[in-house]
Amino acid sequence: MNYFPDEVLEHVFDFVASHRDRNAVSLVCRLWHRVERLSRQRVFVGNCYALSPQILIARFPGLKSLTLKGKPHFADFNLVPHDWGGYVQPWIEALSNSRIGLEELRLKRMVVSDESLELLSRSFANFKSLVLVSCEGFTTVGLAAIAANCRFLRELDLQENEIDDHSGHWLSCFPDSCTSLISLNFACLKGEINLAALERLVARSPNLRSLRLNRAVPLETLQNILMRAPQLVDLGTGSYVHDPDSETYNKLKHTILKCKSIRNLSGFLEVAPRCLPAIYPICLNLTSLNLSYAAGIHGSELVKLIRHCAKLQRLWILDCIGDKGLEVVASTCKELQELRVFPSDPFGVGHAAVTENGLVAISVGCPKLHSLLYFCQQMTNAALIAVAKNCPNFIRFRLCILDPTKPDPVTMQPLDNGFGAIVQSCKRLRRLSLSGLLTDWVFLYIGMYAEQLEMLSVAFAGDSDKGMLYVLNGCKKLRKLEIRDSPFGNKALLTDVGKYETMRSLWMSSCEVTLGGCKTLAKEMPRLNVEIINEHDQMEIGSDEQRVEKMYLYRTLVGPRKDAPEFVWTL
Amino acid sequence: MDGSSRNDVCPQFLDLVPKERAWLVNRDEQRRRGLSEENKLELRLGPPGEDWSMTDNTMKNQRESSESLLSLGYFSPTTSMTQNTSINNSSSGSQTQMFSSSENPVGAVNLSSPWSSSAFQGKTQHNQKQTKAPSFLQVPSTLQSFPVLAQEASQPRCSNVVELQSAEKKAFSQSSAMTAVPNSSQKRTAPSPVVGWPPIRSFRKNLASSSSSRPASESQNAVADKVPCKKPVESCTKGLFVKINMDGVPIGRKVDLKAYDSYENLSSAVDELFRGLLAAQRDSRECGIQNKQEEDKAITGLLDGSGEYTLVYEDNEGDRMLVGDVPWHMFVSTVKRLRVLKSSELSALSLGSSKQVKVSSLESPRR
């Protein structure tokens, strides 16, 4: 390999695309490390506190696309206090002070301020793509800066962010010269939108492929937009409400017939079900359908709609579809690969919306299924065993029984065997979320069989430290482990401290781990940040025997972070 | 990537792929090692509890299945495991079926048996009812192409699959019978409110209510039940707590709207909540000299614009609205937070930004 000039190596490395492969390449020898890092353009940082912007910039001077993740996953469920951290500002500052020509920034669970957005928009002449997922801390003022200053913006994708809406005028800030938009998603914005500006923007964006509107965009505007942009591939409707006998609705029906390219459909944040037939013609070609926000569509209408969607590969839906509806999905959507069923009534004591029967039906009808998120009222071992047999290709299996410690209602047994069957059968399983009544046995099975497992979410499960140890010992590829309300304590935490350096992070909340245990761990493993999150301010006087409310630890190159708030204590 | 080696990237990169047998042996050793390490921690692989009852019926079934089942060749049990299992055979535990290798001719651990036997075990006790078999009868055909145990012998496999098939049938006819009747044997108590459970994001929690408030979408959801909760911590089945802030008072309060049935009651509650706080503010501002004698001034006229303060709220669409226009129950279903503003500032605020945009859409050249 020494005989190849660097350019040849670089050319070869061009074909190595995935982050992991490139990371592996860089470990081979110094030469490869150098060639790889100089030619690397896309970098993924799974934990923004694992390194510093300076390290990143020094190593990858050719960086064009950066992905950063901030808060731990359980922050999605309000388990992480508001000001915990995950600020993007230092990153943008450092990048803007460097010579890096950033073109794409993708952030997840980070705190983004308006000034960060503004700095971003002014610092990189070639900036093309901003994707913000589950972020917060900014307003439409920041969006206006992006719109106004990024002359070659191709993608502005806002997914499920908390954005303070100050006015709808940010859309007008796209200059008339901006014609490069390919993707625009503002579905999560809660406020009003300047509809005229939106229509004009669409009209001058011939490359627009993906457009997701928020609920402030009425059907008339949708009609106008589709007239201008029949080439759309991905559409998220805004408010889909109108009188089905109206002129506008009729026009919409005809316009939709021209939109032959739509493959992804979402939205319907507000919906008049009688207007749904207009979209039946596009259902035939849909590969992805997200109706998980469409609480206004009831089971029977959902079923009618889905009967048209024979080519569906991804379906996100509410549980009001019911088991019967899932049977229809199973018989219609033979190409289904990903299914998510969300609860429409999370706190209600309602009738069982979906149960194990729906899941088994899906597993029978959709053998290509590899990703599942399923919220249900109950689950049985027998059903899980059947699912495991029918769908051995699961990569992601996330089951959430709404009553977190519910046993198999038929046998009153824990669900250990059912999940055991899943991990045994699905050899490619990378992500698993457990729920229901579970003992240490399920963890033994996971440790024994789930060899490819990278992420495990545990809640209200297990009997003793053994459970956690089975997993830590057995799952060699484990990267993220998050545990809440389970009886794992110091023995489980401290038996194999070296393991945590092979993982990205560990979250434990409401477990049996004590302050003393965490201190011991922090002392033995200086390259981990062991953070204790204690909102009740007892840390100073607390004894080592005191149980820790929330602990989050992660490996890092840069030691304790300096932006931790008062209630976070890095040991 | 081998499961057998550590996480070093380099050696794997250069390693020739080991023969399968060697790999299996490695894994086996590792499991033994792992298991003996576990033993050092005084782990007993017996079942944790003794509450799992096992009838003679199920025991017999399990033996049948364990004899016919394939052994997972590379999981030979350690001696300690078999010791444990003999102890456990006497105790009643469903999990013991897994390790009762004494019956098994091959002597290997039948880790597969729990999958079938648990299906049996639950169902043999409820054997009587055979309702209409649901569409799961398709399961048998797929079972043959997706066997759990991808092992050598085909004979045992077939019988295994057949057993599983009948287990499935029983399982599903049983479970469909169970679910058909909303019965009392299943616990239907409301799940008690747990922080961060179920694990869904905040904006998914209010879906049902925010859509039911729109007149266009027909919804039978009882509006009063599904009141939007700002904080997921509170249970939405009892008590609707919304934040209420008052101009000039930095600390907000929370009110339970379910405790009131009319605007008048709410108004007096607001008065009670803030009267003291307001007075305390005045006290602290004026160094508490004069005002100790003064009575706390009541906060009145919140609803009709006659008082010093006016009550407004933010609805589920993010708009600020005057309290009192809509019927009480409709108000409760759409309110997200409350605010007590100084009446003098009312006109200065944009009440409902929707008005602004409606103007602009009228201005737009296109319809």
Side-chain angles (χ1 to χ4, degrees), chain B residues 29-74:
Chain B
E29 274 171 10
Q30 195 193 27
R31 299 223 185 277
R32 286 218 205 86
R33 250 184 274 127
L35 289 168
S36 57
E37 272 162 18
E38 288 166 357
N39 285 334
K40 283 184 203 144
L41 294 171
E42 296 168 51
L43 300 175
R44 295 176 58 79
L45 290 170
E50 275 144 45
D51 19 326
W52 299 329
S53 60
M54 199 168 68
T55 64
D56 288 340
N57 212 8
T58 57
M59 184 62 134
K60 174 176 75 90
N61 285 335
Q62 184 278 324
R63 285 204 198 106
E64 284 169 359
S65 51
S66 70
E67 277 157 7
S68 56
L69 281 171
L70 305 164
S71 54
L72 299 170
Y74 42 81

Side-chain angles (χ1 to χ4, degrees), chain A residues 454-506:
Chain A
E454 296 178 6
M455 180 169 178
L456 179 65
S457 306
V458 176
F460 304 97
D463 305 317
S464 72
D465 289 328
K466 283 188 263 173
M468 186 167 159
L469 283 170
Y470 291 144
V471 171
L472 290 176
N473 284 338
C475 298
K476 297 299 175 201
K477 296 205 178 176
L478 194 65
R479 291 189 300 117
K480 289 179 277 184
L481 180 57
E482 46 186 25
I483 304 174
R484 61 166 292 182
D485 293 276
S486 301
F488 306 134
N490 291 341
K491 183 200 264 187
L493 183 69
L494 296 173
T495 298
D496 182 6
V497 293
K499 173 81 176 172
Y500 305 124
E501 273 194 8
T502 70
M503 291 167 54
R504 183 189 297 174
S505 65
L506 167 67

Side-chain angles (χ1 to χ4, degrees), chain A residues 65-336:
Chain A
S65 160
L66 176 62
T67 305
L68 274 176
K69 293 193 182 180
K71 299 187 196 181
H73 175 233
F74 275 176
D76 283 350
F77 318 131
N78 298 299
L79 287 176
V80 176
H82 189 69
D83 305 322
W84 174 86
Y87 305 103
V88 78
Q89 178 69 8
W91 292 84
I92 298 186
E93 274 174 9
L95 286 164
S96 79
N97 288 336
S98 74
R99 276 189 244 162
I100 293 214
L102 194 68
E103 293 183 13
E104 177 178 78
L105 186 62
R106 310 169 76 97
L107 304 177
K108 187 166 184 179
R109 280 188 220 106
M110 294 201 70
V111 177
V112 181
S113 63
D114 283 343
E115 56 166 315
S116 302
L117 289 177
E118 204 176 352
L119 181 58
L120 176 69
S121 71
R122 285 188 282 106
S123 307
F124 307 105
N126 234 1
F127 193 74
K128 295 198 175 76
S129 167
L130 181 63
V131 179
L132 301 177
V133 180
S134 303
C135 297
E136 54 169 0
F138 60 106
T139 76
T140 46
V141 171
L143 295 180
I146 296 284
N149 301 330
C150 300
R151 293 170 52 215
F152 303 112
L153 194 69
R154 289 195 202 159
E155 180 177 19
L156 179 60
D157 186 355
L158 308 169
Q159 297 177 32
E160 300 190 340
N161 301 291
E162 288 281 337
I163 307 176
D164 266 348
D165 215 308
H166 288 176
S167 78
H169 296 305
W170 63 278
L171 262 182
S172 326
C173 295
F174 282 103
D176 289 339
S177 55
C178 174
T179 57
S180 47
L181 265 186
I182 297 182
S183 165
L184 177 63
N185 171 8
F186 57 90
C188 62
L189 280 178
K190 291 175 239 169
E192 300 297 335
I193 282 291
N194 187 328
L195 299 173
L198 174 63
E199 289 187 33
R200 286 196 299 271
L201 180 62
V202 171
R204 65 177 184 275
S205 304
N207 299 321
L208 196 65
R209 292 282 171 277
S210 167
L211 179 64
R212 299 194 188 178
L213 311 168
N214 76 343
R215 72 196 306 157
V217 179
L219 200 108
E220 297 90 348
T221 311
L222 176 66
Q223 208 284 115
N224 293 339
I225 285 174
L226 290 179
M227 283 255 289
R228 304 277 202 177
Q231 77 281 5
L232 279 179
V233 171
D234 177 344
L235 172 67
T237 67
S239 164
Y240 193 79
V241 171
H242 220 275
D243 176 2
D245 298 319
S246 66
E247 178 66 20
T248 309
Y249 179 68
N250 258 318
K251 278 201 227 169
L252 180 70
K253 280 202 289 194
H254 286 116
T255 308
I256 284 190
L257 289 173
K258 299 200 196 107
C259 301
K260 297 190 188 303
S261 308
I262 297 184
R263 298 285 173 272
N264 282 19
L265 187 60
S266 61
F268 300 97
L269 306 162
E270 287 163 4
V271 53
R274 288 174 61 213
C275 293
L276 284 176
I279 60 169
Y280 290 168
I282 41 179
C283 289
L284 295 167
N285 288 322
L286 281 184
T287 55
S288 164
L289 179 60
N290 180 355
L291 295 176
S292 63
Y293 287 106
I297 308 182
H298 293 292
S300 50
E301 291 132 358
L302 274 178
V303 168
K304 266 199 279 182
L305 184 66
I306 285 175
R307 283 195 202 277
H308 290 90
C309 305
K311 295 194 192 160
L312 220 50
Q313 294 172 13
R314 174 169 19 159
L315 177 62
W316 291 24
I317 201 142
L318 289 171
D319 64 1
C320 48
I321 192 175
D323 284 341
K324 289 279 172 251
L326 288 177
E327 286 174 32
V328 174
V329 173
S331 60
T332 311
C333 309
K334 294 304 187 187
E335 303 296 313
L336 198 66

Side-chain angles (χ1 to χ4, degrees), chain A residues 24 27-28 76-79 134 160 162 190 192-193 195-196 199 215 224 228 241 251 270-271 273 292-293 295-296 298 301 316 318 327 342-347 349 352 356-357 360-361 364 367 375 378 381-383 385-386 389-390 392 400-402 404 406 409-411 413-414 416-417 420-421 424 435 439 441 445 447-449 451 459-460 463 466 469-470 473 476-477 484 491 495 502, chain B residues 1 3 6-7 9-10 13 27 30-31 38 41 43-48 52 72 75 94-95 98-99 111 114-115 118-119 121-123 126 135-136 138-139 142-143 146 148-149 164 168 171-172 174-176 178-179 186-191 194-205 207-208 210-211 214 216-220 226 232 236-237 317 353-354 357 360-361 364 366-367:
Chain A
L27 289 176
V28 168
D76 283 350
F77 318 131
N78 298 299
L79 287 176
S134 303
E160 300 190 340
E162 288 281 337
K190 291 175 239 169
E192 300 297 335
I193 282 291
L195 299 173
E199 289 187 33
R215 72 196 306 157
N224 293 339
R228 304 277 202 177
V241 171
K251 278 201 227 169
E270 287 163 4
V271 53
S292 63
Y293 287 106
H298 293 292
E301 291 132 358
W316 291 24
L318 289 171
E327 286 174 32
F342 293 96
S344 50
D345 185 10
F347 302 107
V349 196
E356 73 275 14
N357 295 331
V360 175
V364 169
F375 285 85
Q378 62 183 50
N381 281 312
I385 292 166
K389 278 197 294 284
N390 297 333
C400 178
I401 303 170
L402 290 171
K406 189 167 181 163
V410 174
T411 64
Q413 301 289 2
D416 302 329
N417 286 354
Q424 187 191 36
S435 63
T439 72
W441 283 108
Y445 301 150
M448 289 181 84
Y449 294 111
E451 291 171 10
F460 304 97
D463 305 317
K466 283 188 263 173
L469 283 170
Y470 291 144
N473 284 338
K476 297 299 175 201
K477 296 205 178 176
R484 61 166 292 182
K491 183 200 264 187
T495 298
T502 70
Chain B
M1 297 253 265
R6 306 275 167 225
N7 269 342
V9 175
C10 288
F13 198 65
R27 278 181 54 195
Q30 195 193 27
R31 299 223 185 277
E38 288 166 357
L41 294 171
L43 300 175
R44 295 176 58 79
L45 290 170
W52 299 329
L72 299 170
F75 289 118
S94 67
Q95 301 293 0
M98 173 166 151
F99 289 111
L111 293 161
W115 315 153
S118 69
Q121 160 200 326
K123 307 315 166 258
H126 307 279
S135 53
F136 308 120
Q138 294 171 45
V139 165
T142 38
L143 270 183
F146 297 101
V148 171
L149 316 160
L164 289 164
E168 304 307 320
F172 299 120
Q174 181 51 51
S175 50
S176 65
M178 292 293 276
T179 52
Q186 297 180 31
K187 291 195 186 129
R188 296 247 189 250
T189 52
V194 178
V195 178
W197 192 270
I200 52 176
R201 303 215 185 140
S202 320
F203 21 79
R204 288 202 185 274
K205 297 196 189 205
L207 276 181
S210 50
S211 89
R214 290 289 298 190
S217 62
E218 55 263 33
S219 119
Q220 326 98 307
K226 307 230 177 25
C236 288
T237 54
E317 296 176 343
S353 49
S354 48
V357 180
S360 66
S361 61
S364 73
R366 286 217 155 262
R367 231 181 352 95

